[in-house]
């Protein structure tokens, strides 16, 4: 049966909009009915760690708000008028038109309208991202492709390769709650290891960063949602691609990723090893501190987790291999198409039978989380109810996240793992005091 | 309570003569003394032109764009013998959604209580071509119309369109959708036309209403911007339309059509083709 | 079978002359609606996102107990359920038929059917709401038939709500669409009038406010029958037996008028009971309208007033000298304007979501009373226009609902979002007044925000009239 109840991710239009909102200077212009962008704001801006949606987000998103007459007679003229006016009122480096279900069903030629405003000298691009094209993750992919096409036209020639410059994809703004934190944390780790990460989204990222994409020596994808993109870039610019299915949390996985990159780039591994060593010492220091609480309060537990694949797997691996926690159930909420792919080797060497499910149906998820009485549940804020019923500790890590504010916090990399330890330790402690 | 009008929808392949047939029926009914409304459900907006000498008539949808407080006069014209002419209107080819247009125009007419206020006895919808999308099926659904009629010639493509329409009628038959009054043969020529259409109706559980031949009178009337009923009331064509009109208003018999599936339809058509070809060939030889 | 004359209700523009775009003096607006005329439609040639019929309907249905809602459309049309589940309290389950491109072309009646069946199997609700969206409005899925068939098969009401998502420019039209269906499918014939039973229509707002209303009504010896939000379906069925229906906002009009016309339950749309004066008037009106001579009323009035006066003596609730800009739906905005005045403040501007032939009377009345010197803005959201206006009006505080307050704050203006605050009754609104005073007295956060970059091309846009992109509609 199709996913149907309490769906966690939004639609393609909304995913594309979240992506646009995460790039400085991009003014999204939504060509659709009024509620499309508004629902994105409610679900992605407010129910996602209260991050909001940036200056050109929320109620500020320009939207054509088409009504019946535009459906019957076509809405291209409405879009033309909207664009003509938006470029005057909004300060933008790129006007990104996102067209939704309705204009696409009635066949509006949004692309022509975008080309028109471009010939008038305004930077503009177009994403056809109807809600019926799929989930917000698909919308992210669609938006990234359009942005790549737009920005690479403006890339300064010659297309020289900058050694160590890496574009990163697959961490999805607005859907992955910790996207900003992960990007910041990975940027830090990469630069300490002598690499330069081009995060493309979030703080300090503008269209200028997108223009550098063709200069990169590697394109890195950390989830299913980046693999199509890095393939596309390989075709387009001949840049090598490295694909991993999860975001690394903690020392081992982070180091492994850096070494894989070094291998791909023929990069000196020494700097990476030096950096890793320092970081591991730091981590060991804090983990040894954590030991007091761990044993005083008997933190060792089994856990179940629900979230997008890249995150659920990254976190599970850290908990399993570093904290001695036992995974019971892993529910992948973003990638139903992977159902048939083996992911058994994602958690090797664990002496337990892990159940892996693919669903984003809220009802199914809560049913699955209840099974096996895990002591810790990592999922959405909605899963808190299930956790409370079962007396489990609960931490919100995936959409919707509405019981915590998440700004630049992340779990990726070396320092991210410490964040994760703090957050999990806190909820385990809280459950203890609540009992 | 005001008596309820009978609502009739007329479908058929593009160019087959729906508007001609509908307008002539409207004209005939009006002459008989009925209060008639004809609603053109086609973005071309030419359904009622022979009822009003080709006068300009703003369409329902065009007017909606401009005004929020609408009066019936804004969207209709009284034509020949008092027929109230309405054109739903719609987008230019290649833009927008004509199907949704039909839906919203009919909704608007209902909201404005046009049928009640005009005290119509009968409302005829002349619906564009094949049922290309859900919007064009609106007149069939939800108990909006009482009966459906299909105009068809003996051409295979026209029969094919009629068969498609039968599929649509059959689909909504169990949920309060309108059922089939029958087939009006039009533009007929050659010796096999009537026989062929009759065979089709027998195979598909539908009825024949009448046959209208291809006729100079009808096309000449149209060139004068008129229906045959108005321009040549004494012609046999006018009489034919009066007969059809009488039948449509008084005979409420309907059937749930039983359309042929694609292969069956093809085989059926082949069979007829072979038969006609053979007879023709024989004819040649006998000369 | 529904006892309604027609499946759908005309959009607010045609039915009520609803307008959602205007900036200018109040008088021409009022004149535009004289003698049954409608003010000429305006359109925006530049607009920002806002709620629509679907969002209004979903927030309402989410709090009708023992029901499920199936949104028949692409998954994004139900995306806000994450928000509702998060911040609006645990409510009724929301399903999405999660339509794909294929469904949008081939039709999706079967998907709808399956989803309804699964929803009923999982939750055993007393009723199912089916909300239509743009895709099905365009491909013309026969939702009516699916709903009717399943209603029979499952023996519970399956209520189609033809939202479509692009019918009206006024999102409040969503209430009308929903109430039209609720009236037809969920009300019952009148049995006998219960002299103590008063219908209270709760279309939006917080649960706290609804409880407050219940408490007020109970205090004068009546029994509140609250629906649809926070109510049971039995309350809707019972509504035909009430002695009166009280609407808190004009969004109750369709259900109120239905009960009045079809079930002989008189409908009263009263001003909102915000603050002591309005609350006393409100209670007085209800006792009068229900023929209930409550001795308790005078006692309550004087007791609450005394309590209230003590509260107000506090310097933290003094708004004198404060100029306040208010944004919201017209009923709330005017109730808040009254409140602000009661506490010594003044109103420098109003932005209201929409206006129509009915609510213009309220505007007229208040304009006559207060002779507002300012231009009125009509727009749902449209924060770029508000930013322009605020750059001229420079109020001390901006009062707005939900996502709007932050945009005023980004201009450096102290702002308060009143949406999550309790407002109804004698003293609930004191929290809001305190928040206003607090916002004025410590501006550090908004000053920081105000100095951050802006998304607007200020020099060009703020130099233009705020109504620059509002045009009278022509073909
Ligand atoms: N029986 C007939 N004899 C002669 N000419 C006819 C006959 N019926 C229709 N016509 C002519 O055929 C042409 C098409 O007819 P009409 O416009 O009525 O078709 P239609 O089905 O309404 O077409 P459309 O699908 O384009 O709306 C007209 O010129 C009309 O005069
Ligand atoms: Mg025609």
């Amino acid at each position: 049966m199709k996913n149907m109840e309490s769906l966690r991710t939004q639609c393609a239009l909304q995913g594309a909009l979240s992506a646009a909102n995460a790039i400085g200077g991009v003014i999204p212009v939504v060509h659709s009915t009024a509620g499309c962008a508004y629902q994105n704001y409610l679900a992605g801006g407010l129910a996602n760690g209260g991050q909001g949606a940036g200056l050109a987000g929320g109620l500020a998103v320009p939207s054509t708000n088409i009504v019946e007459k535009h459906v019957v007679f076509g809405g291209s003229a409405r879009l033309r008028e909207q664009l003509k006016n938006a470029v005057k009122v909004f300060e933008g480096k790129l006007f990104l038109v996102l067209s939704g279900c309705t204009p696409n069903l009635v066949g509006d030629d949004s692309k022509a309208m975008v080309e028109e405003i471009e010939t008038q000298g305004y930077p503009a691009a177009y994403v056809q991202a109807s809600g019926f094209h799929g989930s917000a993750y698909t919308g992210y992919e669609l938006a990234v492709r359009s942005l790549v096409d737009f920005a690479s036209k403006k890339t300064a020639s010659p297309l020289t390769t900058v050694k160590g410059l890496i574009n990163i994809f697959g961490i999805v703004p607005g859907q992955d709650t910790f996207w900003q934190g992960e990007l910041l944390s990975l940027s830090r780790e990469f630069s300490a290891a002598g690499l330069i990460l081009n995060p493309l989204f979030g703080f300090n990222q503008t269209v200028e960063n997108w223009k550098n994409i063709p200069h990169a020596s590697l394109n890195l994808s950390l989830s299913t949602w980046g693999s199509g993109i890095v393939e596309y870039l390989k075709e387009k610019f001949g840049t090598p691609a490295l694909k991993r299915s999860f975001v690394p949390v903690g020392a081992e996985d982070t180091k492994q990723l850096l070494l894989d990159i070094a291998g791909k780039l023929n990069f000196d591994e020494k700097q990476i090893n030096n950096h890793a060593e320092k970081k591991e010492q730091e981590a060991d220091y804090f983990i040894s501190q954590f030991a007091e609480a761990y044993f005083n309060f008997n933190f060792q537990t089994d856990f179940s987790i629900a979230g997008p694949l890249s995150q659920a797997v990254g976190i599970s691996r850290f908990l399993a291999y570093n904290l001695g926690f036992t995974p019971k159930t892993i529910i992948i909420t973003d990638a139903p198409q992977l159902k048939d792919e083996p992911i058994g080797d994602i958690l090797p060497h664990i002496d337990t039978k892990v159940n892996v499910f693919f669903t984003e149906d809220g009802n199914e998820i809560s049913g699955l989380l209840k099974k096996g009485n895990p002591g810790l549940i990592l999922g959405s804020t909605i899963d808190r109810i299930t956790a409370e019923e079962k007396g489990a500790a609960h931490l919100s890590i995936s959409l919707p996240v509405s019981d915590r504010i998440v700004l630049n916090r992340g779990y990726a990399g070396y320092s991210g793992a410490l964040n994760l330890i703090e957050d999990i330790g806190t909820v385990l402690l809280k459950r203890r005091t609540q009992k | 309570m005001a008596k309820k009008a009978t609502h009739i929808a007329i479908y058929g392949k593009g160019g087959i003569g729906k508007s001609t047939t509908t307008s002539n029926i409207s004209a005939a009914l009006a002459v008989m003394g009925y209060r008639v409304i004809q609603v053109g459900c086609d973005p071309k907006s030419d359904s009622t032109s022979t009822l009003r000498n080709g006068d300009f008539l703003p369409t329902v949808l065009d007017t909606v764009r401009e005004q929020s407080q609408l009066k019936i006069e804004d969207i209709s014209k009284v034509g020949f013998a008092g027929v109230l002419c309405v054109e739903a209107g719609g987008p230019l080819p290649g833009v927008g959604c004509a199907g949704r247009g039909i839906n919203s125009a009919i909704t608007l007419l209902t909201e404005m209580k046009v049928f009640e206020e005009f005290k119509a006895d009968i409302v005829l919808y002349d619906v564009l071509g094949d049922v290309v999308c859900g919007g064009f099926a609106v007149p069939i659904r939800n108990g909006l119309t009482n009966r459906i009629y299909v105009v068809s010639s003996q051409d295979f493509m026209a029969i094919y369109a009629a068969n498609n329409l039968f599929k649509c009628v059959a689909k909504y038959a169990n949920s309060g959708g309108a059922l089939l009054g029958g087939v009006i043969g039009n533009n007929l020529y050659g010796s096999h036309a009537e026989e062929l259409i009759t065979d089709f109706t027998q195979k598909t559980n539908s009825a024949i209403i009448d046959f209208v031949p291809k006729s100079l009178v009808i096309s000449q009337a149209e060139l004068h911007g008129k229906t045959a009923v108005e321009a040549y009331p004494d012609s046999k064509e006018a009489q034919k339309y009066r007969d059809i009109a009488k039948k449509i208003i008084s005979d409420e018999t309907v059937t749930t059509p039983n359309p042929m599936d694609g292969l069956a339809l093809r085989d059926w058509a082949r069979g007829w083709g072979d038969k006609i070809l053979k007879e023709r060939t024989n004819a040649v030889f006998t000369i | 079978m529904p006892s309604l004359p027609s499946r759908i209700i005309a959009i607010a523009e045609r039915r009520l002359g609803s307008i959602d775009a205007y900036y200018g003096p109040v008088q021409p607006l009022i004149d535009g609606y004289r003698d049954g005329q409608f003010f000429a439609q305006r359109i925006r040639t530049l607009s920002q996102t806002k709620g629509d019929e679907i969002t209004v309907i979903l927030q309402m249905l989410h709090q009708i107990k023992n029901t499920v809602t199936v949104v028949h459309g692409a998954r994004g049309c139900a995306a806000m359920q994450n928000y509702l589940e998060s911040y609006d309290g645990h409510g009724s389950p929301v399903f999405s038929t999660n339509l794909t491109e294929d469904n949008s072309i081939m039709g999706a009646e079967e998907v709808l059917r399956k989803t309804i069946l699964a929803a009923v199997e999982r939750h055993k609700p007393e009723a199912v709401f089916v909300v239509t969206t743009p895709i099905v409005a365009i491909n013309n899925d026969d939702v009516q038939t699916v709903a009717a068939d399943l209603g029979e098969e499952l023996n519970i009401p399956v209520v189609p709500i033809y939202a479509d998502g692009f019918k009206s420019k006024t999102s409040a039209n969503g209430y009308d669409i929903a109430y039209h269906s609720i009236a037809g499918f969920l009300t019952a014939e009148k049995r006998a009038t219960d002299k103590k039973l008063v219908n209270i229509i709760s279309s939006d707002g917080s649960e706290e406010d609804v409880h407050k209303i219940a408490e007020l009504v109970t205090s004068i010896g009546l029994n509140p029958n609250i629906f649809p939000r926070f109510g049971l379906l039995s309350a809707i069925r019972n509504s035909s037996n009430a002695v009166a229906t009280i609407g808190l906002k004009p969004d109750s009009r369709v259900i109120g008028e239905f009960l009045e016309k079809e079930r002989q339950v008189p409908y009263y749309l009263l001003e909102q009971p915000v603050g002591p004066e309005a609350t006393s008037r409100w209670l007085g009106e209800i006792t009068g309208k229900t023929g209930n001579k409550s001795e308790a009323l005078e006692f309550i009035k004087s007791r609450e007033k005394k309590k209230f006066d003590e509260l107000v003596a506090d310097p933290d609730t003094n708004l004198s000298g404060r100029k306040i800009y208010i944004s919201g739906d017209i009923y709330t905005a005017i109730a808040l304007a009254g409140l602000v005045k009661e506490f010594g403040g003044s109103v420098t501007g109003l932005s209201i979501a929409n206006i129509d032939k009915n609510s213009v009377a309220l505007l007229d009345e208040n304009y006559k009373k207060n002779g507002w010197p300012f231009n009125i803005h009509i727009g749902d959201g449209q924060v770029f226009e508000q930013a322009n206006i605020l750059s001229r009006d420079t109020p001390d505080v901006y009062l707005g609902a939900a996502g709007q307050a932050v945009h005023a704050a980004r201009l450096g203006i102290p702002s308060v979002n009143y949406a999550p605050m309790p407002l109804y009754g004698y003293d609930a609104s004191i929290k809001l007044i305190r928040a206003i005073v607090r916002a004025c007295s410590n501006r550090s956060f908004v000053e920081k925000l105000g100095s951050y970059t802006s998304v607007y091309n200020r020099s060009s846009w703020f130099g233009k009239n705020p109504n620059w992109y509002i045009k009278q509609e022509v073909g």
Side-chain angles (χ1 to χ4, degrees), chain B:
Chain B
M1 222 188 105
K3 69 173 164 25
K4 225 175 134 32
T6 303
H7 292 249
I8 301 288
I10 296 184
Y11 282 87
K13 183 185 144 24
I16 206 64
K18 295 179 297 296
S19 301
T20 309
T21 310
T22 313
S23 301
N24 273 293
I25 295 171
S26 289
L29 286 165
V31 170
M32 290 177 212
Y34 292 105
R35 292 185 67 80
V36 183
I37 302 180
Q38 179 167 330
V39 184
C41 297
D42 180 338
K44 283 201 306 300
S45 311
D46 62 354
S47 168
T48 60
S49 60
T50 52
L51 288 168
R52 48 185 170 78
N53 297 315
D55 270 2
F56 173 75
L57 171 56
T59 70
V60 177
L61 290 168
D62 268 328
T63 323
V64 170
R65 289 208 278 187
E66 288 155 28
Q67 285 166 270
S68 58
Q69 263 170 326
L70 275 184
K71 290 188 277 309
I72 294 182
E73 306 86 84
D74 299 332
I75 50 149
S76 63
K77 277 244 158 68
V78 177
F80 171 70
V83 177
L84 190 74
C85 304
V86 178
E87 295 286 352
L92 296 170
V95 294
C97 177
R100 178 70 193 185
I102 303 290
N103 190 343
S104 46
I106 291 178
T107 303
L108 193 84
L109 295 172
T110 320
E111 266 172 24
M112 288 171 71
K113 302 200 184 324
V114 172
F115 313 127
E116 289 87 343
E117 294 200 359
F118 186 73
K119 301 198 178 58
D121 298 305
I122 181 159
V123 183
L124 293 145
Y125 300 85
D126 168 12
V127 193
L128 162 107
D130 312 65
V131 184
V132 285
C133 75
F136 296 96
V138 166
I140 299 182
R141 284 163 30 180
N142 309 334
L144 182 74
T145 52
N146 303 67
R147 286 187 292 287
I148 305 290
Y149 293 87
V150 178
V151 180
S152 180
S153 72
Q154 75 270 38
D155 290 345
F156 178 64
M157 290 318 287
I159 300 265
Y160 179 81
N163 191 62
N164 267 349
L165 198 96
F166 288 2
K167 287 184 184 164
C168 186
V169 173
K171 171 169 163 36
Y172 293 110
N174 293 326
S175 53
L179 298 182
L180 188 69
V183 176
I184 302 169
N186 184 45
N187 236 335
L188 307 184
Y189 61 90
S191 52
H192 289 97
E194 297 188 5
E195 199 189 336
L196 186 147
I197 295 176
T198 307
D199 185 39
F200 170 70
T201 56
Q202 280 164 358
K203 292 260 175 338
T204 53
N205 189 35
S206 49
I208 285 287
I209 301 303
D210 211 332
F211 299 107
V212 183
K214 189 175 185 72
S215 141
L216 254 174
V217 170
I218 293 170
S219 33
Q220 193 57 23
E222 184 183 285
L223 289 175
H224 283 101
K226 289 186 169 30
T227 58
V229 172
E230 178 182 6
Y232 308 105
D234 301 328
S235 62
K236 60 180 193 308
E237 284 81 358
Q239 187 50 44
K240 186 126 256 183
Y241 284 122
R242 285 191 290 266
D243 292 346
I244 295 175
K246 226 173 269 162
K247 197 156 183 190
I248 284 182
I249 192 101
S250 57
D251 187 352
E252 295 182 5
T253 317
V254 286
T255 64
T256 303
N258 182 19
M260 293 189 234
D261 66 28
L263 282 178
L265 187 63
R266 194 196 61 194
D267 291 345
W268 174 83
R270 271 191 195 155
W272 269 98
D274 290 347
K275 185 174 164 194
I276 294 169
L277 201 62
K278 197 167 150 211
E279 284 177 21
R280 263 201 211 150
T281 326
N282 289 344
V284 171
F285 281 126
T286 51
I287 284 172

Side-chain angles (χ1 to χ4, degrees), chain C residues 289-354:
Chain C
K289 304 249 139 99
T290 54
N292 174 313
K293 289 264 160 300
S294 170
E295 283 94 57
L297 182 58
E298 286 314 310
F299 171 72
I300 295 167
K301 277 188 189 171
S302 62
R303 185 194 65 192
E304 294 290 336
K305 182 84 177 90
K306 215 170 110 218
K307 270 209 292 202
F308 185 78
D309 288 342
E310 282 164 22
L311 278 173
V312 176
D314 189 338
D316 283 354
T317 56
N318 194 335
L319 296 184
S320 62
R322 304 281 186 211
K323 295 183 298 169
I324 296 169
Y325 190 95
I326 301 174
S327 162
D329 68 83
I330 180 166
Y331 265 59
T332 309
I334 287 195
L336 292 176
L339 185 76
V340 161
K341 259 180 90 176
E342 222 173 312
F343 284 86
S346 63
V347 179
T348 59
L350 278 183
S351 173
I352 57 183
N354 74 296

Side-chain angles (χ1 to χ4, degrees), chain A residues 369-392:
Chain A
L369 287 175
K370 269 180 205 159
K371 280 195 194 136
N373 294 316
L376 171 66
I377 288 179
L378 302 119
S380 78
T381 299
I382 290 168
D383 303 320
R384 167 180 295 276
I385 297 166
T386 310
E388 274 165 11
E389 244 172 66
K390 289 276 153 192

